[in-house]
Amino acid sequence: MGKASILKELWDFMKTRKRWWLLPIVVMLVLLGLLIVLTEGSALAPFIYTLF
């Protein structure tokens, strides 16, 4: 259960329904989420905020 099952279910949906255009959107959302989580308490935070 958990995150792995959600990703597997999303992958199965894209594979069976041929919704490959969703893949770049999902990848960008995951990367943006990782960027936010990893920089939340670091010294790099002020530099990343200037990008947005």
Side-chain angles (χ1 to χ4, degrees):
M1 299 299 285
K3 294 176 190 174
S5 65
I6 292 171
L7 291 176
K8 183 185 178 317
E9 191 170 333
L10 182 64
W11 176 253
D12 289 340
F13 171 78
M14 287 192 299
K15 196 165 66 170
T16 57
R17 299 274 202 274
K18 306 288 192 251
R19 303 278 192 221
W20 298 115
W21 56 270
L22 285 172
L23 191 60
I25 297 169
V26 171
V27 168
M28 289 307 295
L29 285 174
V30 168
L31 289 176
L32 186 62
L34 282 174
L35 179 70
I36 290 170
V37 168
L38 292 176
T39 61
E40 183 151 326
S42 74
L44 294 175
F47 298 111
I48 294 199
Y49 290 139
T50 60
L51 294 176
F52 300 104

